[in-house]
Structure formats: C-alpha cells, structure tokens
Amino acid sequence: MNNIDVSKVKLTDADRSEVLRYLGYRGQEMTDDLTSSFNECMDLVNGAADPRILIKIFPLGQDESHLNKDQDGTYPPAVLPDELSFLEGSDIRRHLSGCSEAVLLAATIGMKQDIITRQLSLSDPLKSVIVDSAGSVLIEAVCDTAEAYMRRELLSEGKFLTSRFSPGYGDLPLMAQEKFSQILEMRRVGITVSSDYLMSPRKSVTAVLGIASHEVKKHERSCASCNLKGACRFRQMGFFCSE
C-alpha cells in the first residue's frame, strides 16, 4: 500500500458537476463568460496540483475478542492500540468495529493551490471561489483514488475496507490532527498543523479507515452528530455533503 501513486490525479470533465455543487450551483444559467472562467480555473488547479499521500497501518486489539459478534449480531467497538489512543470518542471506535487493522491516511494537493486562491481573492474574487471549490474536489479525488487502490489490493487478499473517517466527524476531535502529523510525519509531504489544528496546505485531508476480513457497512455521515453542523454551507443551501 505504501507504493500507491496519486501524483497524476487531475480534475476531469466528469468532475465539473461536483465542482459546481461545491459552488452551490442549482441549475442557474451558465453564461459564456462564466463557462470560460470555470474552465480556466479547472486548468489552473490541475496545473498547480502536486498530489501526495502518506499511509500507515496499525493492528487493532491485543487479541481477537473484538472480532466476535455480540448477541445482536453486531461487532463491539474497536480496541485501539496505545499509538492510536488520540482517536478519542465513541464514533471512531464504532466505525472500526469488526476491523483487524486501522489505516491512517494523509493527503494533499500542495501549496500552489493556496497561493493561487489568495492571489485571485485580490484580483478576481469569482475565480478565487471557483479555484477553491475545484481544489476541494481534487483533494477528494486524490483520497478516492488512494482508497480505490487500497480496496483493490485488499480484495485480492479477501479483505475489505471501510470508508474514510476524518477528525471533525462525529465526536472525533479536530485536535487529533496534531498526532496525525507526528505519527505520519506529514511534513514529508509538506503538511503542517497550526495551533488551532488546521492544516496547511488548506486542501489536505487526514482520515482513518478500517480493514476487515468481512464486508463492512460504509459509514454514513450524520448532520446531527457533525462538528460542522452550525457552520455548514451545504445545509445553508438546502442540501447535504453526503448527497
């Protein structure tokens, strides 16, 4: 898994609708000028991108008791090793229930994206917003690509992978970013974490995934339990990030 190459991941025409969704597009007319700006911004993001990832795998539990189903047919919450004790809260343990290993992942598309966004915020605010949204879609594409590689490799071994669970989801605190940074040595790919636990470059992601010997149910994001529910731009616009 450490040989996964995401360096060539770019935005494609198939990503246009997702970028528009991030922009809050709801069927409004796209003028020629707006279409031209949109295409230019997609090219800017692709030209600036330097996608990179880090992955590290940890065994879960000191024995296999956590891999035995309870009477109700569900797996008990995962038992985390000392190295992962910073993954606080009950949601992440439920997410990893029935898993024998946990994967820590960090990904970024690099600092050039941030520089372009800042520059455009002064000269062309509309393009700045488009570039920012396109960057958000690209970093998700980088993570999805890495996840697809992992799934394919694990399936060949008869194993399965959960979906991603990031700091800030549910009751997993954002402060977990700091430990992520130390354990994965995220500076190797240019990612740093500020005193308020925000990452730089901005278009960077950390996530936890579980590996199991049986099919696993994907984690569904819940608005009610999300730390961002009070400031979610998707909810404000009447739709949801899991759509």
Side-chain angles (χ1 to χ4, degrees):
M1 285 192 191
N2 290 321
N3 296 321
I4 296 173
D5 182 11
V6 296
S7 62
K8 294 181 175 60
V9 178
K10 302 290 184 182
L11 294 169
T12 67
D13 285 343
D15 295 308
R16 293 173 66 89
S17 60
E18 186 69 359
V19 176
L20 288 169
R21 186 175 76 92
Y22 268 79
L23 288 167
Y25 176 75
R26 306 182 76 177
Q28 302 95 319
E29 180 182 358
M30 291 281 288
T31 64
D32 290 343
D33 286 346
L34 181 56
T35 299
S36 177
S37 293
F38 186 88
N39 292 337
E40 181 182 343
C41 290
M42 294 274 281
D43 290 339
L44 280 173
V45 171
N46 278 338
D50 179 23
R52 303 177 73 183
I53 62 164
L54 294 170
I55 291 171
K56 193 167 184 178
I57 301 174
F58 295 85
L60 296 178
Q62 296 179 344
D63 54 43
E64 296 187 353
S65 60
H66 66 292
L67 300 179
N68 299 322
K69 289 184 178 180
D70 292 332
Q71 291 183 347
D72 60 2
T74 62
Y75 290 95
V79 178
L80 303 183
D82 291 342
E83 302 100 306
L84 302 183
S85 60
F86 68 94
L87 298 175
E88 300 175 2
S90 57
D91 289 339
I92 187 61
R93 286 168 171 75
R94 282 197 295 268
H95 184 71
L96 295 173
S97 63
C99 293
S100 57
E101 296 170 287
V103 181
L104 297 193
L105 176 147
T108 186
I109 61 172
M111 185 59 74
K112 288 183 180 180
Q113 160 86 29
D114 289 7
I115 295 172
I116 291 173
T117 302
R118 285 197 298 268
Q119 291 173 339
L120 286 173
S121 68
L122 300 174
S123 62
D124 195 326
L126 174 59
K127 285 184 180 179
S128 177
V129 173
I130 297 173
V131 165
D132 186 71
S133 297
S136 295
V137 173
L138 180 55
I139 185 58
E140 287 299 315
V142 169
C143 292
D144 289 345
T145 300
E147 190 175 319
Y149 274 115
M150 285 189 281
R151 288 186 187 282
R152 184 173 64 183
E153 182 176 333
L154 289 169
L155 279 173
S156 69
E157 302 171 4
K159 297 179 181 179
F160 301 86
L161 191 68
T162 70
S163 55
R164 300 189 296 271
F165 198 107
S166 293
Y169 288 0
D171 61 2
L172 178 59
L174 197 60
M175 68 178 64
Q177 306 281 38
E178 188 174 19
K179 274 292 186 180
F180 258 95
S181 180
Q182 296 170 9
I183 290 174
L184 291 179
E185 298 179 81
M186 290 177 359
R187 286 183 177 272
R188 289 183 292 153
V189 293
I191 303 174
T192 59
V193 178
S194 69
S195 58
D196 51 358
Y197 312 115
L198 299 179
M199 288 184 289
S200 178
R202 290 177 57 247
K203 302 308 178 184
S204 301
V205 167
T206 55
V208 184
L209 304 94
I211 298 174
S213 58
H214 54 84
E215 290 195 46
V216 291
K217 182 179 179 181
K218 284 190 176 183
H219 171 75
E220 298 294 338
R221 301 181 191 181
S222 167
C223 291
S225 63
C226 181
N227 288 349
L228 300 177
K229 64 183 179 182
C232 177
R233 63 191 178 103
F234 290 121
R235 281 169 59 91
Q236 291 169 2
M237 294 175 185
F239 52 100
F240 308 94
C241 66
S242 58
E243 291 180 342

